[in-house]
Amino acid sequence: MSVAGPVGRGSLERRTAALMAVVVTIAVVVAGLVSVGLVRGAAQDEARKALRSKADLVSAVLEASRPVDIAPALRVVRQQDTPVAWEGPGGRLAGDALARTAYTQLPQAERTVSGSHTLRIDGRQVLVEVRPLSTGATVVFAERTSLATGQSLRMLNRVLLALVIGLVLAVLASVLFARRLAAPLRSTAAAAHRMASGERSVRVVPEGPTEVAETGESLNALAEALEHSERRQREFLMSVSHELRTPLGAVRGFAEGLQDGVITGPAVPAAGRTIVAESARLERLVADLLDLARLGADDFRFDTVPLDLRDVVDQAAEVWDERCRRDGVRFAVERPEAAVLVRTDPVRVRQVIDGLAENALRVTEVGAPLVLALRVEGDRAVLEVRDGGPGLTADDMAVAFERSELYQRYRGVRRVGTGLGLALVKALVDGLGGTVAAHQAPAEGGTCFRVELPLG
């Protein structure tokens, strides 16, 4: 079975790798833009510092020369590719075009004062240093700022190279990470498909990040639960088939004896009673199965009405008093004098009482007690069926209402029913909004099944 997703659905590995690559690329681009800005600022600071040093040095040399001979000194400066211009005492401006243009753009007040300025000439930024001399002349130094010069360019190239290398490594790392992240998910998906095809022994090794590992652990837990559930279903079907086979065999055997004339005369009534009893057992088993199936269906209804629980207990007591008397069991009823008002389904409550009493009577020996009790505790009505049977262990009580659990434990040890009665009781009580539990019955010596329903 293919584990590929539908056409057009991108894999987690590709999506994760693409997303991480996009994030890394954005980070590198932002880092590059920031780096360019930083390098540009550093380059401008360095250029300003170098131009200021030249201006200070030249002006100091010119001031120290007597008489002032400005032309040779400025010629040395111009040989270093630094545009320079000067204005003599007579107002004549000479020198390089860039420096002259910068001088003319300066306000009049700043032409005769030492200072640093930044101008924009022909669309480019120009650094300007003005140095007036004591002779009345003014020297102007100008230099265009640019990243593509010397150390600044080398620094920018190194930064950009490092960013490109980081981008490549980050993309490779994102691909490897995405592949590692998706690998356990692919394994889990393959295991899930194998489970869907009916395999229950499949397990995966939880690995990867916490959430991914938890997915694998959950799949393992699901596989174990399905395996346990299907094993329970097989055991249940085997037990039900066994229960069906026994009465069916008896009915068929006696029916064939009657048909063939083997059973005649005084033996006929006994054969008829056996057939009736086994048919009743079959009917009870089928009814329990149907009720359990219907409880899980959407159309199963509980018809709740206001009623006095004492009436339901009294009706049940009439039937079970006669049943207990026939079997030699001492039956007793405990109920309050005051009304016990609840809003519930009387038919289902009676079904619960009958199911618990049937279970209790089956294990109660001759002369032992069976008690049907009703009382009020706080805001709850409490129904109890207590017996003098062999009782249940603590482990038995923990699983008493699970389907066929007690049947499997005590089949062949004591008298057991279909294995469905207590499970049906639990489902009915849950549907009525109550609770049911099994306890020891200290006074009677056996088991106490306690049902609580809300008053109201």
Side-chain angles (χ1 to χ4, degrees):
M1 178 180 295
S2 175
V3 298
V7 176
R9 181 188 298 176
S11 68
L12 175 64
E13 178 181 342
R14 292 180 180 178
R15 289 188 176 188
T16 302
L19 178 61
M20 294 181 66
V22 169
V23 172
V24 170
T25 302
I26 293 175
V28 168
V29 170
V30 172
L33 293 176
V34 173
S35 299
V36 169
L38 292 175
V39 172
R40 187 186 300 277
Q44 182 171 329
D45 291 342
E46 288 297 323
R48 171 72 70 185
K49 189 181 299 183
L51 187 62
R52 184 181 295 119
S53 297
K54 290 179 182 179
D56 291 341
L57 177 61
V58 171
S59 61
V61 170
L62 292 175
E63 287 290 357
S65 301
R66 289 293 185 270
V68 175
D69 188 1
I70 195 169
L74 294 182
R75 214 169 16 249
V76 174
V77 175
R78 293 168 69 181
Q79 289 176 356
Q80 299 177 0
D81 296 329
T82 301
V84 62
W86 63 93
E87 181 186 25
R92 180 174 175 273
L93 184 62
D96 295 288
L98 179 63
R100 294 201 312 270
T101 302
Y103 183 78
T104 58
Q105 287 190 6
L106 288 173
Q108 186 66 37
E110 295 178 356
R111 295 179 182 177
T112 58
V113 181
S114 293
S116 300
H117 308 279
T118 302
L119 302 177
R120 197 154 196 88
I121 299 175
D122 297 332
R124 293 184 61 180
Q125 200 174 54
V126 177
L127 304 180
V128 179
E129 292 289 332
V130 178
R131 295 294 185 270
L133 301 178
S134 58
T135 60
T138 300
V139 183
V140 180
F141 303 86
E143 188 171 84
R144 290 188 177 91
T145 60
S146 174
L147 282 178
T149 57
Q151 186 177 1
S152 300
L153 182 58
R154 290 193 298 272
M155 183 186 303
L156 181 60
N157 289 337
R158 290 172 184 172
V159 171
L160 294 178
L161 178 61
L163 290 176
V164 170
I165 293 174
L167 174 61
V168 173
L169 293 178
V171 170
L172 291 176
S174 65
V175 171
L176 294 176
F177 174 78
R179 185 170 299 174
R180 181 175 177 81
L181 175 66
L185 289 178
R186 283 197 296 268
S187 175
T188 302
H193 281 276
R194 289 165 59 192
M195 287 174 56
S197 65
E199 188 176 348
R200 295 292 178 261
S201 60
V202 59
R203 298 292 186 274
V204 298
V205 178
E207 56 183 348
T210 302
E211 294 80 1
V212 178
E214 287 178 353
T215 302
E217 293 171 354
S218 299
L219 183 73
N220 289 340
L222 176 61
E224 291 176 2
L226 287 174
E227 192 173 15
H228 177 72
S229 175
E230 291 183 357
R231 184 171 60 250
R232 290 284 305 278
Q233 289 179 10
R234 288 192 297 269
E235 293 172 353
F236 171 70
L237 290 175
M238 290 174 61
S239 65
V240 169
S241 63
H242 174 77
E243 287 295 316
L244 289 171
R245 190 180 299 113
T246 302
L248 279 174
V251 169
R252 181 174 181 176
F254 280 100
E256 288 177 348
L258 291 172
Q259 180 183 20
D260 296 340
V262 177
I263 301 174
T264 59
V268 172
R273 286 194 296 272
T274 301
I275 292 175
V276 170
E278 294 303 315
S279 298
R281 183 179 175 187
L282 280 172
E283 184 180 8
R284 185 172 66 253
L285 176 60
V286 172
D288 286 349
L289 287 171
L290 288 175
D291 282 338
L292 278 174
R294 291 179 59 207
L295 278 170
D298 294 335
D299 59 350
F300 189 86
R301 296 191 315 168
F302 289 89
D303 298 320
T304 58
V305 295
L307 62 90
D308 185 350
L309 270 184
R310 295 181 307 167
D311 297 336
V312 181
V313 170
D314 290 342
Q315 294 169 8
E318 293 180 4
V319 175
W320 289 101
D321 181 53
E322 176 62 22
R323 289 277 305 273
C324 290
R325 186 183 60 77
R326 290 203 307 264
D327 290 357
V329 173
R330 294 184 288 112
F331 180 76
V333 178
E334 299 174 358
R335 71 173 185 80
E337 293 297 327
V340 181
L341 300 178
V342 297
R343 185 175 183 84
T344 189
D345 187 332
V347 175
R348 302 305 174 189
V349 173
R350 176 63 187 275
Q351 195 173 354
V352 168
I353 294 174
D354 290 345
L356 294 176
E358 179 78 31
N359 182 79
L361 182 60
R362 186 184 305 115
V363 297
T364 303
E365 301 294 335
V366 175
L370 192 155
V371 179
L372 174 58
L374 172 66
R375 63 179 179 275
V376 175
E377 292 183 1
D379 61 348
R380 312 285 284 181
V382 178
L383 274 168
E384 287 182 348
V385 175
R386 307 193 298 267
D387 63 64
L392 299 173
T393 66
D395 290 340
D396 293 338
M397 293 176 187
V399 297
F401 299 98
E402 295 184 17
R403 196 169 53 188
S404 298
E405 278 291 340
L406 297 183
Y407 176 86
Q408 295 293 339
R409 294 186 182 195
Y410 291 106
R411 184 175 59 181
V413 178
R414 63 175 73 162
R415 294 176 62 189
V416 293
T418 63
L420 304 177
L422 292 180
L424 179 58
V425 166
K426 175 69 164 59
L428 288 170
V429 173
D430 288 344
L432 293 170
T435 59
V436 61
H439 307 279
Q440 295 290 343
E444 291 76 20
T447 305
C448 169
F449 290 98
R450 176 188 174 100
V451 177
E452 295 185 10
L453 296 173
L455 294 174

